[in-house]
Amino acid sequence: MTRRTRLSALLVAIASVVLLPGPDIANAAIQSNSVSAEVRERIETDGKARVIVKLRQARQQAISKDSRLAAAPAERVARMRANASRVREQLRGTGYRVRREFASVPYMAIEVDAAGLARLEAMGAEVEGVYPDVLMKPQLGSSVVQIDGDIAQAAGFDGTGSVVVVVDTGVESQHPFLSGKVVAEACFAANETGIGGACPNGQATQLTAGAGEPCPFAALACRHGTHVAGIAAGSGPDFTGVAPGADIISIQVFHTSGICEGSPYCALAYTSDITAALEHVYTIRDQYPIASVNLSLGAGSYTEACDDTFPSMRDAIDNLKAAGIATVAASGNAGTANAIISPACISSAISVAAVDDDDRVASFSAVSTDLDLFAPGVGIESSIPGAAYALFSGTSMATPHVAGAIAAMQQHNPTATVDERLATLESSGKPILDVRNDITRPRIRVAGAVGIESPLPIATSVVPSVLTAWGPTTAITVHGADFTRASSVLINGANIASTFVDDTMMSADLPLEMLQTTAAALDVQVSSPAPGGGVSAVVPLSLVQPSLAASVTSAFPGDTIDVTLTNAPGREFDWLVLASTSAAPETYVDWTYIPAGVSSFDWSVTAPAVLDTYEVRLFSNGSYSVITTTESISVESPAPELHALSETRVAANSGNLTMTLSGANFIPESRALVDGVARPTTYVSDTRLIVDIPASDIATTASALAISVYSPPPGGGTSAALTLAIAHPTLTVSSTAVAAGDAVTVNLNDGLGGSADWLVLARVGDSDGTYLQWTYVGAGSFSTTWTVTMPSAPGDYEFRLFAGSGERLATSPAVTVGSEP
């Protein structure tokens, strides 16, 4: 199919359609002999409801994707019909109307009121469950070449001898693109109210010629079926559908609705009408070589298989599968990354999501783990009523690519089962990664599905050949030979999103997570799926790792550390931090951003005051993911220096002493040592400490104390000691008994030498503040003599030595003054 670039605003609107307002059926699972909450709510709101009644019957064998179900035994059919008759009989007298009855699946579609619902609920012997009759809508999106359909057609596999059933809004059988292809028609389209339906005959069912023509009531939506049919099997002079040799059966199932009446998109289909269409296909299975049924319609959103929510459609699809007919359903256009719509969520259906021309998952495409396949669904040109053509986008457009491919596969191998055909589509397709959810599913490749082998790809080089690790997502190009449209690029053996350029070139976006590695290189290969194909030899893509270097491996608090980053990743929010080597990633001392796009970066950071082992870390794009670090940097205390003591000489009996130490390289952890023993120390600054020396240290017989400063490791150490002299001052007198007026000499030995030290003569017993005579000792004088004339008053006297602070340092023996002779 050729690729067109024009897309009108009207078609853009079509592509954006998701789901019309309707019932929320996501939680409408029915228990045996029970009624769904949604049915009850609809009865309460509207007074009536369209329901699908499951008739109780002999239990069927379980159906799975790899099993086949034989036609229903006659006795089971007979019991089903008998139960249906009893249901009608029991509902007599209520406001009920039977909308649909089925021949191959045990269900009835009925409109009931509250009284009728109550009777259904009471019919445990005949009724197994009551489900809402859900409204569904068309799911509106190059493409044959993209899936190698042209190669399959050139080899003769164009679907000749196969039939694709399009259950949709009807097909314009006289369209030039579909001329002569519509071999049968039907319509199952009941009105929502009253009797009759939207079929051309005005009824809810029509099986005659013209029944499958496009619905007339929604100008835009009713083009849908003709477009879908053209994708599957259209044939024209300029381009074709996937299986241009196949025929079409058109079944129209849509009606207009009071929900949206008057809108050009107002076309809805009941679950019961879709089930009737599927049953009709089963009924005519022996009359036509039907390969597939296309359901480009749906509703709801389901994160897991919805078999129990839509049992009537499930059973009808199971019957078709058992007859070798594949039911292919659109995944939906809501853009959900973990849920698909019904009926695609039915496990026996083949669910299909959409990719664009470059094999990237379409943003509107619903995907979940239940998805089976991808196919093109963006900007697809095909037929629309009025002998015209248009570009549509949607999973509706992806689905008929698969339905048409299965028609070509039936031509290639008529006896294959549905499961075998699905397995072949999966194994021969190109793996597509949905980056929203890391789900990988194959994009179909018709040529491979019909056994046309691919050559073994040859990869010779990758451009660029060297990248910076941890960098942003980067485009790469792989060069070589024998690449195909189904080839994909592998990195370290994992498939990544890639685009076929030609048979010598593949392009791909290298995912960021693959660059987030410490490896020296990535292994690049090209893979082509079976049949044939294989994986090329490895071409290495070298990775240059970011590197951090610090100017020092040790530093003192406050020092500058210069850091150099080379081969920077260049992402917008990469950043550097300075942190303790033992700290968690979220804990750091300092940080800075690295400008986006730079390859080299310099940072100067100040060494912390806290002594520890640090490193500079490179973090990735605003996260706490460590890319690389510098070597460890030990922040150490420098060796302390002691320059001066505020006191150089103290008296041994002077009591507690608070002294200031002056020096350099002091840190808060520094401690003053007295004769090697730490004493209480207060950090004032890096040049000043205050130490409290207890009286017990001063009251020593030694002549001096050694004062030093210690700083702990790392670094640190003990400074050189300074001497604090310990004076032991004594006072002696020339006589201890004299007459009044005699002279007495006092001798001071080992004094302090302070400039304010002084001697006094006082009466024994008087306070220190009371004295008779005094004199300064003299600065720097450690010994001196002082002669005084003793008082005339008889009594006992003594000499006292005081420090400048007023503290008494020494006392002489008492001198007794007698009376005059």
Side-chain angles (χ1 to χ4, degrees):
M1 190 174 292
T2 59
R3 303 184 183 191
R4 305 280 179 94
T5 56
R6 295 194 310 275
L7 188 62
S8 68
L10 181 60
L11 295 179
V12 171
I14 292 173
S16 66
V17 172
V18 186
L19 294 176
L20 290 175
D24 178 8
I25 55 176
N27 296 309
I30 307 299
Q31 302 298 321
S32 294
N33 198 21
S34 66
V35 179
S36 80
E38 182 190 338
V39 170
R40 297 185 191 280
E41 291 171 4
R42 199 173 294 176
I43 291 286
E44 292 175 2
T45 301
D46 302 331
K48 59 183 179 180
R50 285 278 296 257
V51 299
I52 295 178
V53 177
K54 184 174 184 181
L55 303 172
R56 198 173 293 280
Q57 59 170 337
R59 184 172 298 276
Q60 294 184 10
Q61 70 179 79
I63 303 300
S64 65
K65 282 196 171 184
D66 58 359
S67 68
R68 303 187 67 179
L69 178 65
E75 63 271 16
R76 190 170 63 206
V77 174
R79 179 175 179 182
M80 179 177 67
R81 290 175 178 171
N83 280 347
S85 296
R86 284 192 286 272
V87 167
R88 287 193 299 271
E89 180 67 27
Q90 289 296 321
L91 290 177
R92 186 172 298 173
T94 67
Y96 85 98
R97 180 179 287 119
V98 175
R99 291 294 192 173
R100 290 267 175 221
E101 290 190 67
F102 304 98
S104 61
V105 291
Y107 298 91
M108 299 173 68
I110 307 175
E111 182 179 294
V112 295
D113 56 14
L117 181 63
R119 293 190 188 182
L120 286 174
E121 191 171 9
M123 297 179 65
E126 295 84 9
V127 174
E128 186 172 329
V130 182
Y131 303 78
D133 196 355
V134 176
L135 286 168
M136 299 188 183
K137 68 176 294 293
Q139 294 294 307
L140 294 174
S142 292
S143 68
V144 172
V145 172
Q146 184 178 352
I147 62 174
D148 289 346
D150 56 335
I151 298 174
Q153 291 171 19
F157 299 110
D158 62 357
T160 297
S162 299
V163 173
V164 176
V165 179
V166 177
V167 178
D168 213 291
T169 63
V171 177
E172 185 178 73
S173 61
Q174 299 306 309
H175 195 291
F177 201 52
L178 300 167
S179 179
K181 288 184 171 294
V182 179
V183 296
E185 299 175 81
C187 175
F188 301 91
N191 287 336
E192 291 184 22
T193 59
I195 61 174
C199 295
N201 63 0
Q203 301 301 311
T205 301
Q206 182 177 342
L207 304 179
T208 57
E213 289 297 314
C215 53
F217 42 78
L220 299 183
C222 289
R223 305 176 304 173
H224 190 266
T226 303
H227 197 275
V228 166
I231 295 170
S235 178
D238 298 323
F239 63 96
T240 72
V242 177
D247 289 326
I248 295 290
I249 293 177
S250 173
I251 303 180
Q252 203 288 103
V253 294
F254 284 88
H255 66 276
T256 191
S257 170
I259 295 175
C260 56
E261 192 165 4
S263 165
Y265 293 100
C266 188
L268 298 177
Y270 274 114
T271 300
S272 56
D273 288 337
I274 298 168
T275 302
L278 296 172
E279 182 178 62
H280 178 67
V281 175
Y282 184 75
T283 301
I284 63 174
R285 67 191 183 280
D286 294 330
Q287 301 175 39
Y288 301 95
I290 300 171
S292 58
V293 178
N294 191 97
L295 297 178
S296 292
L297 46 76
S301 186
Y302 300 86
T303 58
E304 56 187 19
C306 60
D307 296 29
D308 292 337
T309 306
F310 296 95
S312 64
M313 283 198 297
R314 175 203 62 203
D315 289 357
I317 291 171
D318 286 348
N319 282 347
L320 292 174
K321 181 179 178 182
I325 299 171
T327 301
V328 188
S331 69
N333 297 339
T336 50
N338 64 345
I340 59 178
I341 63 172
S342 68
C345 55
I346 293 174
S347 60
S348 48
I350 297 175
S351 53
V352 185
V355 295
D356 64 16
D357 290 352
D358 293 323
D359 279 333
R360 289 177 170 81
V361 178
S363 60
F364 58 76
S365 194
V367 173
S368 78
T369 54
D370 289 321
L371 182 73
D372 293 310
L373 301 168
F374 283 111
V378 177
I380 307 301
E381 184 175 21
S382 185
S383 48
I384 59 172
Y389 296 87
L391 297 170
F392 289 174
S393 295
T395 55
S396 277
M397 284 61 253
T399 305
H401 283 83
V402 176
I406 292 174
M409 295 172 72
Q410 178 164 285
Q411 179 189 3
H412 173 253
N413 182 4
T415 62
T417 67
V418 172
D419 287 332
E420 288 168 346
R421 287 175 180 156
L422 175 58
T424 298
L425 286 169
E426 291 172 333
S427 64
S428 64
K430 175 182 178 178
I432 301 297
L433 172 66
D434 189 342
V435 297
R436 300 172 302 176
N437 48 29
D438 290 331
I439 292 174
T440 297
R441 294 292 184 271
R443 189 265 290 150
I444 66 165
R445 188 172 66 95
V446 185
V450 297
I452 299 174
E453 294 189 356
S454 299
L456 175 66
I458 301 170
T460 57
S461 63
V462 59
V463 177
S465 60
V466 179
L467 288 175
T468 300
W470 304 89
T473 299
T474 303
I476 62 172
T477 302
V478 185
H479 297 270
D482 293 333
F483 302 156
T484 72
R485 299 183 189 99
S487 297
S488 56
V489 176
L490 306 181
I491 302 294
N492 291 346
N495 174 66
I496 65 171
S498 54
T499 301
F500 171 81
V501 179
D502 57 40
D503 61 354
T504 65
M505 185 184 303
M506 297 287 297
S507 65
D509 289 330
L510 191 60
L512 175 63
E513 59 269 20
M514 289 188 170
L515 286 169
Q516 293 177 335
T517 175
T518 58
L522 299 175
D523 291 341
V524 180
Q525 295 169 287
V526 175
S527 172
S528 295
V535 180
S536 73
V538 169
V539 176
L541 172 56
S542 297
L543 295 180
V544 178
Q545 293 294 331
S547 176
L548 278 173
S551 57
V552 295
T553 57
S554 64
F556 298 141
D559 285 356
T560 297
I561 302 171
D562 294 320
V563 181
T564 299
L565 169 64
T566 55
N567 302 321
R571 302 183 68 193
E572 184 176 4
F573 296 110
D574 290 344
W575 54 312
L576 296 175
V577 304
L578 175 67
S580 168
T581 55
S582 61
E586 297 81 4
T587 303
Y588 48 88
V589 176
D590 203 352
W591 69 279
T592 187
Y593 274 129
I594 304 164
V598 304
S599 58
S600 297
F601 183 71
D602 295 323
W603 183 36
S604 294
V605 61
T606 301
V610 177
L611 307 182
D612 200 352
T613 302
Y614 295 87
E615 63 188 8
V616 176
R617 299 168 175 170
L618 172 61
F619 284 142
S620 172
N621 198 39
S623 72
Y624 292 107
S625 298
V626 179
I627 297 176
T628 189
T629 68
T630 62
E631 294 185 36
S632 297
I633 304 167
S634 177
V635 176
E636 305 175 347
S637 58
E641 299 177 9
L642 181 58
H643 297 160
L645 307 177
S646 61
E647 305 289 341
T648 58
R649 188 177 179 85
V650 296
N653 59 349
S654 59
N656 297 329
L657 173 64
T658 298
M659 185 167 60
T660 299
L661 311 184
S662 299
N665 300 331
F666 299 156
I667 61 173
E669 292 80 12
S670 296
R671 292 292 178 265
L673 306 181
V674 177
D675 282 349
V677 179
R679 293 302 182 219
T681 306
T682 302
Y683 174 81
V684 179
S685 69
D686 61 351
T687 62
R688 186 180 177 198
L689 300 175
I690 296 175
V691 59
D692 293 322
I693 302 176
S696 57
D697 286 354
I698 305 299
T700 176
T701 59
S703 61
L705 296 176
I707 307 298
S708 58
V709 175
Y710 166 79
S711 294
T718 303
S719 70
L722 294 181
T723 299
L724 175 63
I726 303 298
H728 299 273
T730 59
L731 294 174
T732 60
V733 293
S734 58
S735 177
T736 58
V738 296
D742 284 353
V744 175
T745 299
V746 59
N747 295 301
L748 167 63
N749 291 305
D750 202 12
L752 291 180
S755 61
D757 293 348
W758 53 311
L759 292 171
V760 304
L761 174 65
R763 187 184 297 274
V764 173
D766 284 351
S767 67
D768 283 348
T770 301
Y771 50 88
L772 302 176
Q773 297 183 55
W774 69 277
T775 186
Y776 281 122
V777 174
S781 297
F782 304 121
S783 62
T784 188
T785 60
W786 181 34
T787 302
V788 299
T789 300
M790 299 303 291
S792 58
D796 293 328
Y797 297 89
E798 61 189 9
F799 292 93
R800 301 171 181 171
L801 173 64
F802 288 100
S805 60
E807 180 182 6
R808 190 196 297 193
L809 302 178
T811 305
S812 70
V815 178
T816 301
V817 176
S819 59
E820 295 184 22

